Amino acid sequence: MYDPLTSRAIDFLWELSINNQRPWFQEHKEEYRRVLEHPFRSLAQETAGLMQAHWPKYGFQPRISRIYRDARRLFGRGPYHDHLWFSLQRMEAASRGPMLWFELGLEGSSHGLGFWDQTAAQAEAFRRHMDRDLTRFERLVNGIPHREQSRLWGEEYKRPKGDRGELLNPWYNRRHLSVGYENFFGDRLFDRQLPELLAESFSGLMPMYDFFLEVWAAEPGPMEEHR
């Protein structure tokens, strides 16, 4: 059963961002486990279970972040993240394939769809796949639920790769691409029904997920054995 997040989880992240040192964290570790680690892990597992029930052929598996930064990549920052995230991925796509993701941070939550670590080859493959049937991709974009509330993330090319019209250009001309929502759930972020709400929102992105999956599967090399 899902143990819901509370507003204290975000307050804790703010306090951690200000006191990002090991002595402070060690002193507050039990609270971290109570208000963040346990409910967040519970959310990831409950959401994964719902998505597996709704979309069994995809074999979604949760991958949950750790609060600890990689010690090799601190670059003068504190040893702890000020956000947590989880992703749902097919096991064979875990390194570079598409994922559904949810993140809790200082300003609330975001969730959506993107590649784990999009490469230049994937970006090029994405454009090729779009060009094969622009009408189909227009339907996918227009079919995104609550499209007026959705947004795109990712670095845009300084020199656009092409002109595919006002609707498609933001998708076509990004070096990295994710689509999703920020603070979509409002006060329901702390609702016991959040796993169901999140699974419902993820389900609305599944037609676009299938497109991302096609792009990933079309890559040469490691993908061949999974076709």
Side-chain angles (χ1 to χ4, degrees):
M1 180 178 294
Y2 173 52
D3 181 15
L5 292 161
T6 69
S7 59
R8 177 61 193 149
I10 294 178
D11 291 341
F12 186 93
L13 288 173
W14 273 106
E15 292 172 12
L16 178 58
S17 71
I18 296 169
N19 303 281
N20 202 321
Q21 297 176 355
R22 190 173 186 276
W24 186 92
F25 185 79
Q26 290 299 112
E27 184 179 345
H28 295 82
K29 193 169 185 177
E30 288 306 313
E31 184 181 14
Y32 160 72
R33 288 174 171 163
R34 185 177 70 255
V35 305
L36 261 174
E37 183 180 45
H38 178 71
F40 195 81
R41 184 170 294 276
S42 175
L43 173 63
Q45 293 169 342
E46 288 286 330
T47 305
L50 290 168
M51 290 299 291
Q52 180 64 20
H54 295 328
W55 306 91
K57 74 174 185 178
Y58 292 89
F60 285 124
Q61 298 291 325
R63 180 174 180 173
I64 306 170
S65 70
R66 301 173 71 244
I67 196 67
Y68 306 98
R69 293 188 191 275
D70 187 335
R72 299 167 297 177
R73 296 179 173 84
L74 293 182
F75 305 118
R77 298 172 295 183
Y80 306 103
H81 289 294
D82 59 11
H83 60 281
L84 291 174
W85 56 263
F86 72 81
S87 64
L88 303 181
Q89 297 171 268
R90 293 168 53 143
M91 288 303 293
E92 68 269 23
S95 61
R96 290 195 300 148
M99 64 174 181
L100 300 164
W101 53 267
F102 174 87
E103 182 173 306
L104 184 72
L106 302 179
E107 303 296 337
S109 71
S110 59
H111 71 283
L113 160 67
F115 284 101
W116 172 255
D117 184 15
Q118 190 172 11
T119 65
Q122 281 178 327
E124 183 180 352
F126 197 94
R127 292 190 296 275
R128 286 200 309 268
H129 216 59
M130 284 180 63
D131 282 335
R132 287 175 187 166
D133 192 343
L134 289 174
T135 300
R136 176 201 175 194
F137 196 76
E138 287 178 357
R139 288 197 301 268
L140 288 174
V141 173
N142 285 320
I144 292 173
H146 309 285
R147 189 163 70 86
E148 69 285 352
Q149 296 175 252
S150 70
R151 60 160 293 181
L152 296 179
W153 288 272
E155 179 187 0
E156 296 184 73
Y157 291 106
K158 293 180 180 178
R159 294 182 180 179
K161 295 294 185 179
D163 183 358
R164 298 300 183 268
E166 183 179 358
L167 178 66
L168 300 189
N169 278 345
W171 296 77
Y172 199 85
N173 292 306
R174 288 183 189 272
R175 189 182 305 273
H176 307 285
L177 176 66
S178 293
V179 58
Y181 309 88
E182 285 184 312
N183 292 320
F184 182 73
F185 302 110
D187 290 340
R188 299 201 74 183
L189 179 63
F190 309 117
D191 196 306
R192 190 173 294 277
Q193 301 304 310
L194 182 59
E196 287 84 355
L197 297 172
L198 188 53
E200 180 182 2
S201 188
F202 281 154
S203 293
L205 293 173
M206 286 302 292
M208 185 64 78
Y209 175 88
D210 280 335
F211 184 91
F212 277 55
L213 200 60
E214 290 170 19
V215 172
W216 171 78
E219 284 191 276
M223 310 306 118
E224 296 294 330
E225 62 186 277
H226 300 299
R227 291 186 178 182

